[in-house]
Amino acid sequence: MSTVLLAVIAVILCVLFRILNVNSQPHKPVIYGRDRNFIENILFVAPFLSEPYIPTRLWGFSGHIQTILHSLIGRVRCPWPIGGRISLILPDKSTLTYDLYEPLGAEHEDDVTVAICPGIGNTSESVYIRTYVHYSQRHGYRCAVLNHIGALNSVPVTGARIFSYGHTDDFNYMIDNLMERYPNTKLILVGFSLGGNLITKYLGEDRKRPDNIIGGISICQGYNAIDTMVYLLQWQNFRRFYLYIMTDNYRNIITRHKRTLLSNEMKNRYSLDENMIVSAGTLPDLDEAYSRRVYGFNSVAELYKWSSSAFYLQNIKTPMIYLTPIYYLMSLIINFALAVRVQGSHDKVMYLELSHGGHLGFYEGGLLYANPVTWLDRALAAIVGGLMMAHHKCVPQESVDEPDLIKSSTIIYRDPLDKALVL
């Protein structure tokens, strides 16, 4: 074998090891919060949240691999949970559907419903939603999954719109319908990616909400669409590639329903140019050509500000858990929001920051083949139980006047802006 060939192989292996991040080691999540009682209630039910997250050894330390695999396959032999579809005709003539799944596991003392809002253009049929619902059902929780309008191939668009980044009314219609069906259920809201932004905005808006809502969980959400788009327009770390995929998916949903959304009547009413929509290269371009016009905004910036949960966080009084990997493609925006907004809303807030993991992908264990259940599915089921315990205040705690750093390398009972040292 020639020296040149050996050198080429060495370079390829070095690049591969760099991409896969093989040299990384597992770390404990960093947990931010100011209410010792609240966080210890969560950790009482989910103690592994303060233990190292151990990704699959050969490829799991790469956030990109985690992201891609989870979006394509979810779990190995991804289950189809057993449920039924509810269809609602909204006042604007839109057809909204959500899927309802009854619990399969042991019954809990309380009737609990997990109301799930998927990511952009996703539905109950998305693989990561199916894996979580199946696991949650088996733990005795009822699940309701919003199907974003326009995202399901089998459900036609009957109104003048599809979903948007900040339109929370669709989620509210699902919640209202759940309350009619189960008036005594306890509600815990779970949002993935865009869905996390939607449930966070929903909880901070000036609107009537059921008292049954006892907590919210947001995974890998963005907070400020304006800053996020500036970040995603950069080429570094494949950000522009992810933006291209999101743009293409959103455009495909619009064109799939073009008979309704791009009819002559719609084009005239909203001054839509189909050529601009089809040729849009980025989400801001597509939002200029379509979204901001249909939703009645004068500019894309105005649409993005209205859509961003960052401007509603200070109004949230519901206990909240935020979870994200630190190297996730929007971590810069999320960390900014954590420091400036989340810790200023109220004390019953817990923020988990993981050193590894992808966008919604948290495979764990094994050398090449991951464990059949992801770390995220386990974490969410346990956090729901922790929120129930925190709601009932089941765990007695010592009285603490001024909570400071607990004796742990991972839990900070202080605002991150204080730049407190981790002991």
Side-chain angles (χ1 to χ4, degrees):
M1 189 176 292
S2 68
T3 304
V4 174
L5 182 57
L6 287 173
V8 170
I9 293 174
V11 170
I12 292 174
L13 288 175
C14 288
V15 171
L16 185 61
F17 271 65
R18 179 67 181 271
I19 292 174
L20 296 179
N21 210 16
V22 174
N23 291 330
S24 293
Q25 296 299 319
H27 296 287
K28 296 179 180 180
V30 177
I31 300 175
Y32 293 95
R34 293 189 296 191
D35 189 320
R36 181 187 297 267
N37 291 356
F38 176 68
I39 291 179
E40 291 187 359
N41 272 284
I42 302 296
L43 295 181
F44 183 84
V45 178
F48 67 89
L49 294 180
S50 60
E51 300 171 357
Y53 160 54
I54 306 175
T56 305
R57 181 70 258 180
L58 289 184
W59 49 264
F61 287 89
S62 168
H64 297 298
I65 301 296
Q66 289 259 19
T67 298
I68 294 168
L69 283 181
H70 201 252
S71 65
L72 294 178
I73 67 172
R75 266 166 49 191
V76 178
R77 295 185 297 275
C78 181
W80 277 102
I82 301 171
R85 182 157 294 166
I86 311 298
S87 183
L88 307 173
I89 303 300
L90 306 186
D92 66 357
K93 299 182 181 180
S94 294
T95 299
L96 176 70
T97 67
Y98 72 91
D99 284 24
L100 188 60
Y101 305 89
E102 293 296 338
L104 300 176
E107 292 185 2
H108 295 277
E109 181 179 348
D110 292 297
D111 181 294
V112 182
T113 301
V114 181
I116 301 168
C117 191
I120 183 170
N122 295 161
T123 68
S124 60
E125 297 178 1
S126 301
V127 289
Y128 70 92
I129 298 295
R130 286 161 48 194
T131 62
Y132 170 54
V133 168
H134 181 263
Y135 193 72
S136 190
Q137 275 186 294
R138 294 182 61 124
H139 279 73
Y141 300 119
R142 179 186 300 111
C143 295
V145 183
L146 180 74
N147 297 312
H148 290 299
I149 291 178
L152 280 172
N153 292 331
S154 58
V155 179
V157 170
T158 58
R161 64 173 179 87
I162 55 174
F163 68 93
S164 83
Y165 315 128
H167 187 75
T168 58
D169 286 352
D170 294 342
F171 189 73
N172 185 62
Y173 283 121
M174 181 179 79
I175 295 297
D176 286 346
N177 192 261
L178 286 171
M179 287 294 91
E180 292 177 10
R181 294 171 180 273
Y182 311 101
N184 297 318
T185 192
K186 297 290 191 298
L187 281 172
I188 293 178
L189 315 185
V190 175
F192 295 87
S193 189
L194 170 72
N197 178 73
L198 285 171
I199 70 160
T200 302
K201 181 173 183 278
Y202 169 77
L203 290 171
E205 289 175 330
D206 183 15
R207 67 156 73 231
K208 183 175 176 57
R209 288 176 293 272
D211 295 333
N212 307 53
I213 299 174
I214 65 168
I217 308 171
S218 173
I219 306 100
C220 296
Q221 78 161 83
Y223 293 83
N224 188 324
I226 298 173
D227 291 345
T228 299
M229 287 303 172
V230 171
Y231 189 68
L232 288 175
L233 285 168
Q234 301 171 12
W235 287 99
Q236 184 180 356
N237 205 26
F238 301 105
R239 296 168 194 161
R240 194 67 177 257
F241 172 71
Y242 287 111
L243 182 62
Y244 169 78
I245 293 175
M246 289 188 285
T247 305
D248 193 53
N249 288 341
Y250 193 26
R251 179 175 49 240
N252 288 341
I253 291 173
I254 296 171
T255 55
R256 187 166 69 235
H257 301 285
K258 63 181 295 184
R259 181 174 297 180
T260 301
L261 299 177
L262 299 179
S263 65
N264 289 332
E265 191 272 333
M266 285 285 291
K267 290 177 181 178
N268 293 331
R269 188 197 308 180
Y270 297 113
S271 301
L272 300 178
D273 185 329
E274 186 172 345
N275 290 329
M276 288 181 60
I277 294 170
V278 172
S279 62
T282 65
L283 275 180
D285 293 337
L286 187 54
D287 291 327
E288 169 59 35
Y290 177 77
S291 306
R292 70 96 177 163
R293 299 170 188 269
V294 172
Y295 278 94
F297 291 96
N298 294 320
S299 66
V300 172
E302 189 178 302
L303 166 68
Y304 286 173
K305 183 175 182 179
W306 169 79
S307 301
S308 300
S309 61
F311 302 102
Y312 301 84
L313 286 165
Q314 66 273 17
N315 302 322
I316 299 176
K317 303 304 177 187
T318 305
M320 288 292 298
I321 311 291
Y322 297 93
L323 187 154
T324 188
I326 193 171
Y327 295 122
Y328 158 52
L329 71 124
M330 296 181 190
S331 61
L332 173 66
I333 309 303
I334 291 174
N335 290 335
F336 169 79
L338 163 71
V340 177
R341 300 281 186 176
V342 176
Q343 294 296 314
S345 56
H346 64 98
D347 285 342
K348 287 183 170 48
V349 176
M350 177 175 171
Y351 177 88
L352 289 92
E353 186 177 80
L354 285 86
S355 296
H356 300 100
H359 181 52
L360 309 182
F362 292 86
Y363 292 98
E364 66 175 342
L367 179 65
L368 179 61
Y369 294 100
N371 294 347
V373 177
T374 71
W375 181 91
L376 182 60
D377 290 339
R378 290 198 301 126
L380 291 180
I383 290 172
V384 168
L387 285 170
M388 290 298 300
M389 178 168 282
H391 176 68
H392 291 299
K393 297 181 172 62
C394 291
V395 178
Q397 305 288 344
E398 296 179 2
S399 176
V400 180
D401 293 331
E402 291 292 335
D404 205 339
L405 295 179
I406 197 170
K407 292 182 179 180
S408 166
S409 63
T410 60
I411 304 176
I412 303 178
Y413 291 109
R414 185 178 290 174
D415 193 319
L417 283 179
D418 292 341
K419 298 181 180 178
L421 294 175
V422 182
L423 300 180

